[in-house]
């Protein structure tokens, strides 16, 4: 048996394991004990979730749509058709009439090539990916306050913290190996505060649980800061030396007395004060947050407010202190880092900055567009309006993952031409004109960057299935045929180019990544990488307090739609389930979706546990089994979004944060009926 | 008893390689894992145990049992793996694990797939001179030095290995390469005895097995099950790494007209393990955790003449992201 | 390997499949006891344990009554006459038969759970003189879910035998008893001391009928039931059906209530 060390393809923890390969097939998994994050441990997806690699449903040849059906095609045919269509559309409607979705499931090298393809080959900045849907608000919010939109700590620091404040993260389910660190911290006596509208596993094990209303995060955090200032618990020295804008923060939060904060959040006053005391009295306090903070129309405000709290108490910029957005996808951090975003090149270098643009123009030997491109939801809107005519989607499934799927479907169908590159014929791929078969992580080389900014190797263990090709190879071939040559002999060579053009990745090369990678910023070949950010000074110099007032979510419960729907994931599945739902063990745990309802609400609705409920929003309706629980607030219901047959995103609204353009997945109004 | 100088270990194993597939603990980076013999990676001086036991050579993580073609009629082709295999470097805990699996799979209804693999496998043990933090085989009585279930048993005496013969098959291996071995003296054996005593003193994890056995039946309503289960993140790791866990799941994987019946390791810690169409016979995590411990320390001994379904290897302690510790649970049960 | 020779609709979502082994010598030598089960393969889909509905006195074929509730059973429901299926078995211990000769027999069944009981009842009716009074209480959620209507009619017409039916939710045509199957218990008149009760049905039904029977004065040993558990192998290896030191597939599925109590199983 051959054994290949690689990085897990599911979440942002970045665990490593060995793939056991026999007769060209992945048949076994071995955790890596020496890996700093895995330490010999894995979650169920890591142990058991790779069965999809050899699924008979894998795409193994390009497909071209003829009428309503696909026919198998050669690569030449598929490429020629794409080249023809893209050229026609560009000639007729201009460069910005085409957009690409890059993929947080794909490698850094592939994401880099995809944004280069959009910018250098197609001449548009219309490139985005699902980070828009998960942490766009983090990228903006933490860049504003700290100067860098990433997790400030290393994962291992979490186990050493004295206080961990978790808000809007179901850590043990969504980032199991980070959950491991929280559980270890608890064992060592750390105090953990959990704020979540659902009583998650950690909420049951923590010292203080705050069940706040979905979308009331700013009010809760401002309330805590009010209490901290009122009791003089702020870190005056840190504020004076390391930050600016404190007075405006003070002014804003002065209004959020525990009483007011309690009224908005429905968290008892004394708990808000207690949380404030616990968090601020420790000098080793860490904030963990995830999509409960980011996926709101106030996502950027939420993020900035967590940063304010950390700066107020001096809990950032030192070991065991910090603000930790947990990035969801295996490589969503990396996809952002290498520029799969409409406004920045790799390393968050703005496309509007002429000097930076010139640098890329020189390196890529092409003139580049100066205006930022469209964000993900804007692309879909433009498609419907008609200004966007073609899309190239790599490894994303917006027909399940994006808000308001009925709208997504209309948008994609409105396009003149749609190319989807994936490993399965997803709900999105079925709408495509051409489908290109990419490969799984086991069939290619590359790197993923984990949530702790750790750039790690993905190593090829088996040959691509059938005629499928590594995604990086497909992009280079398509680009070359479209007239912009891309010649790379290997992903390592692509990384060398990334390093040359990207200061935060400047010292990265494959030879340096052999022993479990490097954490950026790593500006030079002799730089050891950076375990935690903002030591001594913030990336932007002084940390900037950026106070925000509480704003209500965009869609509030009403007489006709009396419940708040909040969406999320379960630990056994990943995103749109294209991979995990092909695995017997994961599928056996959660074969389909459900709606979680407070038991008292369920009683009032007259729907019993296990019975079918119809959930209806202004945008759509779905039927699914009701799960009656006591772990969710009255008036709030939860639906995991993995399941296409009961797609939560038929209900959600594409209400966007005005700056980050992230949709508000965590709040929309629904009603429930007996199904 | 024989003596093999350390420098002769690789020649011995490579000699075996002419006739057998040879598996041994290998260094993969800093990890120790069983693999196909590669003398440049061979691990002889590692402390404790490889991350997975050699169970998978008899009972793989994923095993094709048979393939059938459904083209009008149905043709069936069984995949019995009869590779002639020698595994070197098996720790005493893992030797016991294999003995236990033999009991399960080779009694009553004999499992032909397990039997095909196992009956063609020769087991060469390696005693432990030092325990890891999580090891507690000395409490279970399966180690740190093995007494049974090996064809040959190696003890590291410093420059040389003392080799004990446990079966005819083992003896034959030595005879074939007799030039590599010399006879052991009583001094060598005495030294092994001293090493065993020294090794026993390196254990940090203990349980009182007698007390556990006496009290376990009465512990079914102990609060420990719910308390510990509350932390479980449902990874199944404790089952995946266990040398005695023998539960499996069967799936038919169909592609075109060909269907493979595949057997996978399964985990009793997952709700789906006992999920039926309308009900789950173990509905709570506390029941599932209790099942794991009871199966090992109560049900198995009841069914298999007192043999315990735990080797004391401690892998389930190391692998648990939630810090659920079998030794802690057993101590609670015993008290 | 077996051929489906007949498929008939038993009740809503429930079908009875008649199967014959492809190989005549296997068919001839295939013997089983009521209460045993087979592992049935729907090719290309998977395998599932199914209890045998026919009776060993019916030579030459095997009947399986199956509700479409899982992956395999749903696929089986799409199969037609002349299709092939894989069969292995029989597995499990089966009901006591010789041991209960001479006694009154009380059957309590619910819905599809009556499938293994039918096997035993037909066996007993084939040797009717060996048993005293036979009472059959059978219920389902609604009339459309009652299985084995023809059999029930036949048994009811036999001397010293009675059949009582009930449904939870009657339709317009229903004239019989309404309520859970336990509500039929007071309507029978038997000497409990000389009676053995066989209960099969959904777990919740078994639970309540057990309590009723104990209240009526049944001893734990006089109550026989079957346990339903998830299974993969049928031969005591895969571990799914483990209860205490027993495996339902080897030591069950038939247990006396007394045995179950000793296994520490709450029902």
């Amino acid at each position: 048996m051959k054994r290949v060390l690689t990085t897990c393809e599911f979440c942002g923890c970045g665990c490593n394991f060995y793939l056991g390969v026999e007769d060209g097939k992945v048949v076994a998994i071995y955790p890596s004990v020496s890996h700093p994050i895995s330490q010999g441990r894995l979650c169920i997806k890591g142990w058991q979730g790779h069965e999809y690699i050899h699924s008979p449903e894998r795409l193994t040849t390009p497909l071209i749509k003829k009428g309503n059906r696909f026919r198998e095609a050669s690569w030449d045919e598929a490429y020629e058709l794409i080249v023809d269509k893209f050229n026609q559309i560009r000639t007729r409607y201009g460069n910005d009439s085409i957009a690409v979705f890059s993929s947080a499931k794909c490698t850094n090298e592939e994401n880099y090539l995809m944004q280069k393809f959009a910018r250098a080959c197609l001449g548009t900045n219309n490139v985005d990916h699902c980070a828009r849907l998960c942490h766009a608000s983090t990228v903006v919010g933490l860049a504003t306050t700290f100067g860098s939109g990433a997790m400030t700590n290393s994962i291992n620091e979490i186990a050493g913290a004295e206080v961990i404040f978790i808000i809007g993260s179901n850590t043990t389910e969504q980032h199991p190996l980070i959950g491991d660190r929280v559980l270890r911290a608890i064992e060592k006596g750390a105090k953990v505060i959990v704020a979540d509208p659902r009583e998650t596993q950690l909420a049951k094990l923590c010292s203080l649980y705050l069940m706040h209303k979905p979308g009331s995060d700013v009010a809760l955090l401002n309330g805590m800061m009010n209490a901290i200032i009122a009791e003089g618990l702020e870190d005056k020295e840190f504020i004076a030396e390391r930050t600016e804008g404190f007075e405006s923060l003070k002014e804003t939060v002065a209004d959020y007395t525990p009483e007011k904060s309690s009224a908005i959040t429905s968290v008892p006053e004394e708990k808000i004060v207690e949380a404030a005391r616990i968090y601020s009295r420790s000098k080793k306090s860490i904030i963990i947050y995830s999509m409960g903070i980011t996926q709101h129309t106030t996502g950027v405000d939420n993020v900035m407010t967590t940063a304010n709290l950390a700066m107020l108490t001096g809990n950032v910029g030192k070991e065991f202190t910090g603000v930790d957005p947990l990035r969801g996808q295996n490589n969503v951090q990396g996809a952002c880092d290498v520029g799969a975003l409409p406004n920045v090149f790799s390393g968050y270098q703005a496309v509007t900055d002429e000097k930076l643009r010139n640098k890329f123009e020189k390196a890529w030997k092409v003139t580049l567009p100066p205006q930022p491109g469209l964000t993900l939801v804007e692309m879909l809107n433009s498609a419907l309006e008609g200004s966007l005519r073609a899309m190239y989607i790599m490894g994303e499934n917006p027909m399940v993952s994006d808000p308001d799927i009925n709208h997504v479907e209309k948008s994609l169908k409105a396009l003149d031409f749609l190319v989807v590159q994936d490993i399965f014929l997803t709900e999105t791929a079925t709408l495509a004109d051409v489908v290109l078969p990419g490969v799984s992580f086991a069939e290619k080389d590359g790197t993923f960057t984990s949530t702790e900014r750790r750039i790690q190797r993905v190593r090829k263990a088996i040959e691509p299935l059938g005629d499928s090709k590594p995604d990086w190879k497909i992009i280079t071939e398509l680009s070359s045929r479209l007239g912009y040559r891309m010649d790379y002999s290997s992903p390592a060579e692509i990384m060398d180019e990334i390093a040359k053009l990207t200061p935060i990745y400047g010292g990265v090369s494959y030879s340096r990544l052999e022993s479990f990678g490097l954490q950026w910023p790593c500006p030079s070949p002799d730089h050891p990488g950076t375990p935690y950010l903002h030591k001594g000074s913030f990336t932007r110099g002084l940390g900037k307090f950026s106070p925000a007032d509480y704003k209500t979510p965009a869609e509030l419960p009403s007489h006709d739609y009396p419940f708040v729907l909040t969406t999320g994931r379960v630990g056994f599945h990943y995103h749109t389930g294209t991979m995990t739902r092909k695995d017997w063990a994961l599928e056996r745990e959660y074969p389909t979706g459900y709606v979680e309802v407070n038991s008292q609400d369920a009683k009032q609705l007259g729907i019993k546990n296990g019975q079918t409920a119809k959930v209806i929003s202004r945008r759509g309706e779905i039927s699914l089994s009701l799960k009656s629980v006591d772990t969710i607030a009255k008036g709030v219901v939860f639906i995991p979004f993995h399941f296409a047959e009961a797609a939560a995103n038929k209900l959600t609204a594409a209400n966007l944060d005005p700056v980050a353009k992230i949709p508000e997945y965590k709040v929309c109004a629904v009603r429930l009926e007996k199904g | 008893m024989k003596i093999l100088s350390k420098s002769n270990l690789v020649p011995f194993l490579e000699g075996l390689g002419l006739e057998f597939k040879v598996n041994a603990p290998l260094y993969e980076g800093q990890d120790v894992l069983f693999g196909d013999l590669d003398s440049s990676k061979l691990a002889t001086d590692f402390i404790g145990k490889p991350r997975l036991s050699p169970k998978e050579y008899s009972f793989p993580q994923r095993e094709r049992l048979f393939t059938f073609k459904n083209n009008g009629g149905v043709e069936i082709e069984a995949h019995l793996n009869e590779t002639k295999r020698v595994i070197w470097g098996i720790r005493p805990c893992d030797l016991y694990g294999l003995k236990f699996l033999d009991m399960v799979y080779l009694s009553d209804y004999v499992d032909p797939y397990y039997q095909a693999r196992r009956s063609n496998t020769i087991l060469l043990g390696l005693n432990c001179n030092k325990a890891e933090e999580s090891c507690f085989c000395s409490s279970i009585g399966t180690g740190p030095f093995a007494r049974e279930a090996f064809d040959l048993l190696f003890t590291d005496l410093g420059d040389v290995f003392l080799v004990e013969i446990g079966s005819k098959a083992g003896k034959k291996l030595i005879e074939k390469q007799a030039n590599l071995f010399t006879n052991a003296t009583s001094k060598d054996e005495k030294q092994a005895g001293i090493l065993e005593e020294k090794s026993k003193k390196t254990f940090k994890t203990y349980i009182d097995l007698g007390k556990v056995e006496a009290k376990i039946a009465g512990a079914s309503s102990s609060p420990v099950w719910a308390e510990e289960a509350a932390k479980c993140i449902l990874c199944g790791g404790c089952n995946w790494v266990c040398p005695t866990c023998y539960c499996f799941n069967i799936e038919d994987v169909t592609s075109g007209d060909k269907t493979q019946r595949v057997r996978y390791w399964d985990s009793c810690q997952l709700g789906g393990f006992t999920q039926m169409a309308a009900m789950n016979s173990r509905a709570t995590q506390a029941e599932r955790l209790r099942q794991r411990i009871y199966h090992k320390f109560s049900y198995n001994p009841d069914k298999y003449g007192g043999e315990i379904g735990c080797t004391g290897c401690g892998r389930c302690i190391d692998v648990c992201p939630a810090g659920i510790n079998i030794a802690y649970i057993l101590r609670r049960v015993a008290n | 390997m077996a051929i489906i020779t007949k498929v008939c609709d038993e009740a809503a979502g429930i079908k009875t499949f008649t199967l014959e082994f492809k190989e005549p010598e296997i068919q001839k030598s295939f013997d089983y006891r009521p209460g045993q089960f087979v592992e049935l393969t729907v090719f290309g889909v998977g395998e599932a344990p199914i209890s045998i509905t026919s009776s060993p006195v019916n030579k030459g074929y095997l009947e399986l009554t199956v509700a479409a509730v899982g992956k395999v059973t749903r696929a089986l429901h799409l199969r037609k006459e002349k299709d092939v299926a894989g069969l292995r078995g029989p597995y499990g211990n089966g009901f006591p038969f010789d041991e209960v000769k001479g006694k009154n027999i009380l059957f309590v069944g619910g819905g599809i759970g009556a499938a293994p009981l039918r096997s035993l009842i037909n066996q007993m009716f084939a040797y009717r003189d060996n048993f005293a009074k036979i009472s059959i209480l059978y219920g389902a959620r609604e009339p459309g879910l009652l299985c084995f209507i023809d059999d029930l009619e036949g048994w009811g017409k036999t001397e010293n035998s009675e059949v009582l039916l009930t449904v939870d939710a009657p339709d317009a045509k229903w004239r019989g008893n309404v309520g859970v199957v336990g509500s039929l218990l007071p309507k029978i008149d038997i000497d409990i001391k000389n009676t053995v009760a066989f209960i099969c049905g959904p777990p919740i039904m078994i639970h309540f009928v057990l309590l009723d029977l104990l209240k009526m004065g049944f001893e734990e040993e006089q109550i026989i039931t079957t346990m339903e558990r998830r299974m993969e192998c049928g031969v005591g290896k895969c571990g799914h059906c483990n209860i205490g030191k027993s495996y339902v597939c080897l030591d069950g599925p038939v247990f006396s209530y007394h045995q179950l109590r000793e296994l520490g199983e709450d029902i």
Side-chain angles (χ1 to χ4, degrees), chain A residues 1-5 18 22-23 25-35 38-45 47-48 51 54-57 172-173 175-177 179-181 183-184 187 201-202 204-205 515-516 572 583-586 588-589, chain B residues 21 26 28-31 33-36 51-52 56-57 61-62 64 117 227 229-237 240-241 249 251 253-256 260 262 264-267 269-275 288 317-324:
Chain A
M1 186 186 291
K2 186 173 83 170
R3 225 182 250 129
V4 180
L5 182 68
Y18 298 86
E22 219 162 49
D23 302 330
K25 279 194 143 191
V26 175
V27 294
I29 296 292
Y30 306 87
S32 166
V33 179
S34 42
H35 186 265
S38 320
Q39 302 184 355
R41 297 156 190 179
L42 293 170
C43 75
I44 181 80
K45 296 186 292 294
W47 276 110
Q48 185 58 55
E51 196 65 11
H54 297 290
S55 163
E57 292 171 43
T172 50
E173 284 206 51
H175 296 86
L177 267 286
D180 162 308
R181 301 308 192 275
L183 289 168
R184 280 197 238 178
E187 207 165 282
Q201 184 180 25
L202 281 177
K204 292 196 178 90
L205 297 167
S515 58
F516 307 129
F572 289 96
D583 183 90
W584 61 266
L586 305 176
R588 195 176 67 181
E589 292 303 307
Chain B
K21 178 144 204 152
L26 305 178
E28 299 276 4
Q30 299 156 55
D31 297 325
L33 291 161
F34 277 101
D36 298 342
R51 276 315 108 186
L52 258 66
E56 57 181 322
Y57 294 117
Q61 296 187 28
R62 178 191 198 281
R64 272 185 328 165
R117 287 170 179 272
E227 279 169 30
K231 298 188 280 184
C232 179
I233 69 157
L234 302 172
C235 70
W240 312 132
V241 298
N249 181 48
E251 291 289 314
V253 181
T254 300
S255 177
Q260 286 188 351
V262 186
Y264 301 85
W265 290 357
D266 206 343
S267 163
Q269 298 307 287
L270 302 177
F273 186 79
T274 45
Q275 182 69 48
R288 291 173 207 136
I317 301 171
D318 294 330
V319 83
C320 183
I324 298 171

Side-chain angles (χ1 to χ4, degrees), chain B residues 136-142 206-216 296-297 306 308 310 330 334:
Chain B
F136 62 104
C137 63
S138 66
S139 300
I140 302 287
T142 54
Y206 293 97
I207 61 155
D208 184 336
L209 185 61
K211 262 188 170 170
V212 169
E213 287 175 318
K215 298 232 178 144
I216 192 156
K296 296 188 180 312
F297 286 88
I308 285 167
C310 171
L330 292 171

Side-chain angles (χ1 to χ4, degrees), chain A residues 129-191:
Chain A
H129 72 286
C130 69
R132 186 65 50 203
L133 310 176
C134 62
H135 274 289
S137 28
T138 293
V139 174
V140 174
L142 291 188
T144 308
T145 47
F146 298 161
S148 178
M151 176 162 168
T152 72
N153 296 102
S154 289
I155 290 170
N156 281 334
E157 285 172 61
I158 294 167
E162 287 169 358
V163 171
I164 305 170
F165 177 31
I166 302 172
I167 180 164
S169 157
N170 185 0
T171 319
T172 50
E173 284 206 51
Q174 306 315 340
H175 296 86
L177 267 286
I178 296 177
D180 162 308
R181 301 308 192 275
V182 177
L183 289 168
R184 280 197 238 178
I186 292 176
E187 207 165 282
K188 282 198 264 178
K191 290 202 165 147

Side-chain angles (χ1 to χ4, degrees), chain A residues 107 109-110 441 443-447 457-461 470 472 491-492 510:
Chain A
T107 63
E109 293 74 7
E110 288 160 346
F441 83 122
E443 295 147 75
K444 60 189 172 191
D445 282 303
T447 57
R457 277 300 313 277
V458 177
R459 293 180 183 87
K460 181 175 162 181
W472 64 269
Y510 274 25

Side-chain angles (χ1 to χ4, degrees), chain B residues 68 70 74 76 104-105 107 109 246-252 254 259 261 266 272-277 279 281-282 291 295 299 302-303, chain C residues 1 22 41-47 69 71 84 88 91 203 228-230 232-233 235-240 242 244-245 247 250-251 265:
Chain B
F68 48 87
N70 190 7
V74 176
I76 296 184
V104 172
Y105 279 119
S107 67
Y109 290 85
Y246 56 83
C247 294
F248 58 79
N249 181 48
I250 289 185
E251 291 289 314
D252 280 5
T254 300
T259 296
R261 180 151 295 172
D266 206 343
F273 186 79
T274 45
Q275 182 69 48
M276 291 175 287
M279 66 166 281
S281 50
R282 279 195 285 276
Q291 168 70 15
H295 201 191
Y299 308 153
D302 276 357
K303 189 172 164 71
Chain C
M1 207 74 63
K22 236 176 161 179
T41 292
V42 177
F43 291 106
V45 181
E47 195 176 51
V69 290
K71 191 173 70 172
V84 288
R88 55 186 183 97
Y91 297 120
E228 194 186 334
R229 284 292 180 272
R230 191 183 181 102
E232 298 295 334
C233 69
V235 295
K237 308 290 184 213
C238 79
H240 287 259
N242 172 256
K245 69 174 175 179
Y247 286 89
L250 292 180
D251 310 301
E265 188 67 7

Side-chain angles (χ1 to χ4, degrees), chain C residues 53-74:
Chain C
T53 328
S54 53
S55 171
V57 292
N58 314 124
K59 296 281 180 208
Y61 65 89
L62 204 63
E63 284 172 342
L64 306 175
T65 300
V66 182
V69 290
K71 191 173 70 172
V72 176
T73 50
R74 273 195 292 270

